Structures are given as C-alpha cells and as structure tokens.
C-alpha cells in the first residue's frame, strides 16, 4: 500500500502547475468519464493570442552546450524556495480589472544586435538596473538572438550579471525535478519523450506554500521535428480579461487543487480505507513540502483518495508592485480543460480544481471562461538556441505546447535577492537528494509519447 501511495503522489505532483515537470506512469489502471458529459469530450489544441515566427537560428552540440565552467563555484547548496507571499484580502475586483487593463504587453521582446553580442555578459551587467525594472513593469522579458546563453556556462554568466540568486524549485523535495546541471542551479524542463504529447497549461511555479520569485527559461535545442513552443501570459491581462462575475465568484469562494488520485476499492471496509488514508497522510505526503489534506471521493468517484491543497485565492497582489493579478494554476489543473486538450498524464496524476466552500469541481462554464481569457493572452514563443525568457513568477504564467522529436530547454529559479526576510535563511536540504534522483531515474523508464486514455 505504501508503495502504491507513494507512486500515486509522485505521479500526480508531476502533472500540476507547479507540477509542470514530469508525471510518472500509473501503477493502477482506471478509466473514468468526465463528470460534465456522458461522452468523452473532443480533444483540441488550445489557442494562443500571438505566435511569433521562427528565425532558424542554430545552436551548439549537446556536448558543447551542457559543459559547465568548472572554475565557477558549485551552486548545489542554493537557497530553499521561499514561502509564498499571500496578500489577497479586500481586493476590489472591478477596480483591479481597470488597473490591470492599463498594463503593457507581456513579454517585452529584446533582440540582440551585433554590438550586444560582442559585449557578452557585460551587456547584462551594464543594463542590469533597467532590465530588473522592466521585469517588474512587463512581467517577462524575451531575450532573442543572444549568443551568450547558447551554453550552460554562458546562461549562468547572464543571470550572475543580473545579480539574481538561485533557489530550489518549489517541488524539489518531491523528487520530481531533474537537474540539467546541478552545480549551475539549472533544472531540465519538460523534455522527456514520454511527455512530448502532453500540453502543459498556464501556471505560476507555485504551490500554496512555496513560490519562486523569478525564473530564467533557456533554450539550448528547439524541438527537432516541430512544436514545443514555450507559452507565457500576463496574469494582469488575464485578470482584466475575465468576466467580472466569474472573477468575483472564484475570489469569494476561493479554490482548492487536488494533485493526486489514488483509487482504493470502494468495497473495502471503512476502517481499512481510513487506515490507508492515515498512512498516506503521515508517511508519504510530508515528502512533498506541501500542505495537503487527504480527502475521499471529492470528484464523485467511489473509493478515490485525493491529495488536496489548502484553500487559496485565485487573485493575489504582487509582493513588490502591489498590482492585483490572476495568480492561479486553474488553466493547467482543471480536469475539464485537461480532458479537452492533448494530455499525457495517467489517471493517478490527473488534477482537479474545486470551489473551496463546497469541494465541488469547477463547473464547465467557469472552466471555459478561464480557458478563453487565458489563451487570448498567450504568447507562444518561438524560442531558439540562446533565447531566454526572464519571468516574474508572481506576475506571469507559463506553459508548453506539445512537440515532436527531441528538445532541450532548461530553467533556473530565483529567490528574493533584495529582501532577506522574504528569502528566509533555509538552504538546500541535501539529504533529500537521493529521493529526487531515484524518482527521476524512474521517470526515464516511461514509454515515449505516453497518451492519456482516461476520458
């Protein structure tokens, strides 16, 4: 039972927002109907508001781009991911929408000139203050055509020149986050062949408990056979776009997110089911550094045990600017949206979003409004070798489209480098790393192009 429970949570957490990085194969085979319909819904590729053209730039070979600069200090003892900063009380929805509608387009696009490239890392140190200010203003900056970041070593030079301070991924302790270069604090993105056909919806790299302050997503190799666009959208633009009545409903009722399904035979005696629930709650859930409650049958399926996060607001004020923004992983996690787009997550890893006051799944109308407003403001980036998307993780949401062939993108997360109180004094807990490595080895055994068949 413990092995089943552990596998369930491991697989599930990989599919969430903050779990956008690698679901595992289910050890329990199930087939469920979407509660909102008697027929499996049609799967269609989501939309994007802006789709820039590819430029055809080339990169380095894998051996060349993955090499670390061994003269640099080892960053593996980086900061723990900071605690989530919530400031969501007493927000005037209509006024917040007016303010958000006035914000500039996200992301800001900055294309390198020959002179910029000749400067290397000096370009970023010379322009540090302006870049950091623009990041707060726009929510994300897309650096295009920079030769410096075509390698792991150069990418590190870039963020060191900006004086950004690396931290762990919010879910590092779960074992779901694989390093591309541990000594450079660089995580691999969702590049695994088993997840090529899984669309990752918009999310902040956040749980109710922990949230990275910033991120730098880098492309070393674009998808060799097509697709794989990186998605970004402004949380302010989404908040301004959503229907006011929908926002008020979700804000007043709040939401809870389920990150795991563990299907227990419903005919088991109640005492046995409660015993299983207790084992998972005490022995497995703490490994994930999330505040989870184990609840039976929230989505209506008999015998289903779900790990559910605490209640949270879908709107939050930005910690630095105070701007109210859409700060919710609902576009990625809502079951009714996942069941209607390409999905490579087995049933054990399927997520759900509930109204916190009733623990009923979001209705289809609200899900469709979240989809409409979110996808209208997606920029589906054509990231090529050397491109970096610098993200304010409290302002902008990110995701990834499906792809074919091989792809190598990576990401470094950053803590609050200018506020020690917000950063905290926790460093990486190294003894958790064996669990991390073991789970990632298991992920590598998954079949290519795994397809979800739970609809």
């Amino acid at each position: 039972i413990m092995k089943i429970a552990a596998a369930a949570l491991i697989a599930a957490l990989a599919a969430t927002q903050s779990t956008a990085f690698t679901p595992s194969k289910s050890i329990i085979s199930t087939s469920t109907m979407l509660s909102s319909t008697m027929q499996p819904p049609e799967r269609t590729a989501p939309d994007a508001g802006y789709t820039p053209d590819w430029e055809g730039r080339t990169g380095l070979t894998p051996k060349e781009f993955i090499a670390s600069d061994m003269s640099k200090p080892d960053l593996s003892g980086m900061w723990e991911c900071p605690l989530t900063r919530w400031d969501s009380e007493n927000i005037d929805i209509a006024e917040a929408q007016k303010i958000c509608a006035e914000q500039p387009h996200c992301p800001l696009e900055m294309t390198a000139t020959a002179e910029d490239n000749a400067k290397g890392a000096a370009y970023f140190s010379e322009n540090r203050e302006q870049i950091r200010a623009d990041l707060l203003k726009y929510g994300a900056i897309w650096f295009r055509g920079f030769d410096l970041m075509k390698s792991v070593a150069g990418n590190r030079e870039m963020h060191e020149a900006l004086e950004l301070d690396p931290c762990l991924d919010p879910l590092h302790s779960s074992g779901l986050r694989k390093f591309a270069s541990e000594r450079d604090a660089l995580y691999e993105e969702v590049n695994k062949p088993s997840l090529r056909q899984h669309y990752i919806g918009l999310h902040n790299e956040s749980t109710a408990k922990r949230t990275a302050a910033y991120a730098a997503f880098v492309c070393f190799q674009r998808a060799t056979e097509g697709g794989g666009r990186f998605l970004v959208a402004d949380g302010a633009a989404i908040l301004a776009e959503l229907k006011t009545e929908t926002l008020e409903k979700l804000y007043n009722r709040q939401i809870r997110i389920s990150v795991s399904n563990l299907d227990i035979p419903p005919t088991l005696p109640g005492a046995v089911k409660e015993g299983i629930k207790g084992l998972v709650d005490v022995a497995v859930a703490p490994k994930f550094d999330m505040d989870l409650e184990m609840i039976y049958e929230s989505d209506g399926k008999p015998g289903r045990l779900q790990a559910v996060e605490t209640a949270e607001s879908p709107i939050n004020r930005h910690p630095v600017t105070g701007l109210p923004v859409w700060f919710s992983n609902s576009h990625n996690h809502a079951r009714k949206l996942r069941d209607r787009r390409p999905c490579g997550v087995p049933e054990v890893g399927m997520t759900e979003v509930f109204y916190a006051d009733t623990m009923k799944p979001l209705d289809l109308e609200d899900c469709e409004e979240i989809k409409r407003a979110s996808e209208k403001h997606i920029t589906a980036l054509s990231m090529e070798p050397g491109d970096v998307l610098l993200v304010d993780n409290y302002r902008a949401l990110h995701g990834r489209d499906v792809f074919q062939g091989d792809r190598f993108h990576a990401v470094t997360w950053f803590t609050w480098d200018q506020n020690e109180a917000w950063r905290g004094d926790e460093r990486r807990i190294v003894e958790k790393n064996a669990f991390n490595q073991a789970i990632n080895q298991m992920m590598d055994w998954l079949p290519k192009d795994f397809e979800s068949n739970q609809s």
Side-chain angles (χ1 to χ4, degrees):
I1 289 173
M2 287 305 299
K3 290 182 179 179
I4 292 174
L9 283 178
I10 289 164
L13 284 166
T16 70
Q17 123 299 56
S18 40
T19 58
F21 280 76
T22 359
S24 92
K25 186 176 181 180
S26 172
I27 58 176
I28 302 175
S29 177
T30 61
S31 179
T32 62
M33 280 288 191
L34 185 68
S35 60
S36 64
T37 178
M38 294 304 293
Q39 297 295 327
E42 180 182 357
R43 294 186 185 274
T44 57
D47 297 322
Y50 175 45
T51 306
D53 292 333
W54 298 97
E55 295 184 344
R57 285 177 275 110
T58 59
L60 307 176
T61 66
K63 183 178 181 180
E64 291 171 328
F65 71 64
I66 203 64
S68 177
D69 182 350
M70 300 307 292
S71 68
K72 295 270 190 177
D74 190 336
L75 298 180
S76 59
M78 68 197 84
W79 295 105
E80 176 61 270
C81 184
L83 298 176
T84 302
R85 303 204 60 79
W86 287 106
D87 182 10
S88 57
E89 298 294 324
N90 303 314
I91 294 176
D92 184 321
I93 302 299
E95 182 63 24
Q97 288 190 291
K98 291 179 182 179
I99 296 172
C100 286
E102 299 171 353
Q103 304 306 307
H105 175 75
C106 168
L108 172 66
E109 186 174 331
M110 300 182 70
T111 301
T113 65
E115 181 182 3
D116 297 335
N117 271 324
K119 291 182 177 181
Y123 169 85
F124 294 94
S125 57
E126 290 172 5
N127 295 283
R128 179 190 311 118
E129 291 187 8
Q130 186 61 54
I131 290 171
R132 296 289 296 260
D134 284 342
L135 182 59
L136 284 176
K137 179 179 179 179
Y138 293 91
I141 304 174
W142 180 16
F143 294 102
R144 301 188 75 178
F146 283 82
D147 293 335
L148 176 68
M149 292 89 81
K150 287 185 176 182
S151 68
V152 168
N155 182 67
R156 175 169 170 175
E157 285 188 64
M158 176 273 298
H159 67 69
E160 287 182 338
L162 293 176
E163 297 184 357
L164 294 166
D165 206 349
C167 71
L168 294 175
D169 183 283
L171 286 177
H172 178 87
S173 64
S174 68
L176 298 167
R177 301 301 187 251
K178 181 179 180 180
F179 281 115
S181 179
E182 185 173 351
R183 70 182 314 278
D184 295 297
L186 186 67
Y187 286 91
E188 187 174 343
E189 275 190 49
V190 191
N191 304 311
K192 293 181 183 296
S194 59
L195 298 173
R196 291 186 295 205
Q197 296 305 302
H198 176 64
Y199 177 96
I200 300 170
L202 292 177
H203 61 284
N204 307 92
E205 200 68 14
S206 169
T207 69
K209 184 176 181 180
R210 294 191 183 275
T211 302
Y214 311 105
F217 297 91
V218 58
C219 172
F220 296 126
Q221 177 184 299
R222 59 175 284 194
T224 55
E225 297 176 27
R229 287 177 179 268
F230 192 85
L231 312 177
V232 64
D234 186 0
I238 295 172
L239 188 144
E241 180 70 31
L242 282 161
K243 293 178 180 177
T244 303
E245 57 268 30
T246 303
L247 267 179
E248 290 179 339
K249 175 182 178 181
L250 295 174
Y251 176 68
N252 291 329
R253 299 182 67 175
Q254 299 196 310
I255 62 170
R256 297 185 70 179
I257 295 175
S258 166
V259 299
S260 151
N261 295 328
L262 179 58
D263 289 332
I264 307 299
T267 56
L268 286 178
V272 175
K273 292 168 67 176
E274 287 303 308
I276 294 172
K277 174 181 174 181
L279 283 172
V280 174
D281 197 23
V282 172
V284 180
K287 294 182 182 296
F288 298 95
D289 198 17
M290 298 171 68
D291 294 324
L292 298 172
E293 180 184 4
M294 303 301 149
I295 304 176
Y296 273 112
E297 304 174 359
S298 292
D299 65 355
K301 181 172 175 59
R304 173 163 290 172
L305 179 62
Q306 294 179 292
V308 185
E309 286 197 88
T310 54
E312 59 190 64
S313 170
I315 306 173
N316 195 22
R317 293 183 182 90
H318 189 282
V320 178
T321 67
L323 179 71
V325 295
W326 178 253
F327 186 71
S328 174
N329 297 331
S330 299
H331 183 262
N332 187 44
H333 290 341
R335 178 66 184 257
K336 293 180 178 69
L337 296 183
R338 283 195 163 193
D339 279 341
R340 287 166 167 78
R341 67 190 182 212
C343 181
V345 180
E347 185 61 36
V348 69
M350 289 297 283
T351 53
E352 183 57 288
V353 183
F354 301 91
Y355 301 109
D357 55 354
T358 62
M359 280 305 294
K360 298 296 184 184
L362 298 192
D363 60 40
L364 184 57
E365 182 180 2
D366 287 344
C367 288
E368 289 179 338
E369 175 59 9
I370 291 170
K371 170 182 168 63
R372 181 198 67 80
S374 298
E375 293 173 14
K376 179 178 179 178
H377 293 282
I378 288 177
T379 296
L381 302 179
S382 49
M383 290 182 71
E384 296 180 296
D387 285 5
V388 164
L389 183 73
L390 194 61
V391 170
D392 179 334
N393 193 41
Y394 277 85
R395 169 75 179 272
L397 300 88
H398 63 276
R400 191 221 65 197
D401 203 353
V402 299
F403 67 95
Q404 296 78 41
D406 297 318
R407 174 185 187 270
F408 203 108
H409 286 223
V411 60
T412 297
W413 305 106
F414 305 102
T415 188
W416 301 105
D417 55 281
Q418 298 175 352
N419 191 317
E420 293 184 4
W422 291 4
R423 183 198 66 201
D425 57 7
E426 296 179 88
R427 286 280 186 177
R428 180 184 182 191
I429 303 174
V430 179
E431 51 265 32
K432 290 183 179 179
N433 200 49
F435 184 68
N436 191 352
Q437 292 177 340
I439 297 306
N440 273 288
Q441 288 175 1
M442 182 179 73
M443 301 298 184
D444 290 332
W445 298 338
L446 296 183
K448 293 185 177 181
D449 299 322
F450 179 85
E451 292 186 3
S452 172
N453 64 355
Q454 59 269 7
S455 295

